[in-house]
Amino acid sequence: MKLNQLTAVPGATKDPKRIGRGHGSGNGKTAGKGHKGQKARAGHGMRPGFEGGQMPLQRRIPKRGFNNIFAKEVVSINVGSLNCFEDGAEVDVKALMEVGVLKKSGDALKVLANGEVTKKLTVKANAFSEAAKAKIEAAGGKAEVV
């Protein structure tokens, strides 16, 4: 099959609405714009959220909270996701990104305790939960704070 032989499934495409092409079209005379008024005029663009001069909703509702520009982005992983490494491997942010466990590095890495670890690993992270540290050490590994 070639690109020029492809056809759309019946019912997948609709003919465009032909506006201003006489009464028979159903959209003749005023072309679906009604009679007079701001929206009937040529070039009548109104910005999104405009409410005809009434105070718009986005200005009536009070602002809440703030975004801390100094906040550190902490990326967390669970102990259960460390089983993809070989026994005796050294696990850090770089290794986790190569394997595909992490998509982005963030400012800090924290290891949490969900799941079980079955391999002896040396895990290097910025923080560990107490339970995660206990699970890693119970499997014979090391939890090193970087």
Side-chain angles (χ1 to χ4, degrees), residues 105-138:
S105 61
D107 296 315
L109 172 67
K110 182 166 185 174
V111 181
L112 303 176
N114 194 10
E116 293 298 322
V117 64
T118 55
K119 296 175 180 160
K120 184 179 175 181
L121 301 169
T122 305
V123 184
K124 294 182 177 183
N126 300 92
F128 294 89
S129 67
E130 289 296 318
K133 198 170 190 179
K135 283 183 181 182
I136 292 167
E137 287 167 358

Side-chain angles (χ1 to χ4, degrees), residues 19-133:
I19 292 170
R21 292 292 179 271
H23 289 296
S25 70
N27 274 303
K29 189 176 173 271
T30 54
K33 287 176 175 267
H35 291 279
K36 300 185 184 176
Q38 186 177 17
K39 292 181 186 173
R41 309 295 182 200
H44 85 279
M46 282 181 289
R47 66 183 178 274
F50 182 69
E51 297 184 16
Q54 173 176 300
M55 187 61 69
L57 185 68
Q58 71 269 20
R59 289 186 62 195
R60 275 180 279 164
I61 293 174
K63 291 195 286 186
R64 279 189 53 88
F66 79 109
N67 190 14
N68 185 0
I69 59 169
F70 302 107
K72 299 277 184 263
E73 186 183 6
V74 178
V75 180
S76 59
I77 60 159
N78 286 309
V79 162
S81 59
L82 298 175
N83 286 321
C84 60
F85 292 97
E86 295 87 41
D87 226 359
E90 196 169 282
V91 181
D92 59 352
V93 176
K94 194 173 180 184
L96 288 165
M97 288 184 79
E98 284 171 7
V99 173
V101 175
L102 286 182
K103 286 187 172 63
K104 56 182 179 175
S105 61
D107 296 315
L109 172 67
K110 182 166 185 174
V111 181
L112 303 176
N114 194 10
E116 293 298 322
V117 64
T118 55
K119 296 175 180 160
K120 184 179 175 181
L121 301 169
T122 305
V123 184
K124 294 182 177 183
N126 300 92
F128 294 89
S129 67
E130 289 296 318
K133 198 170 190 179

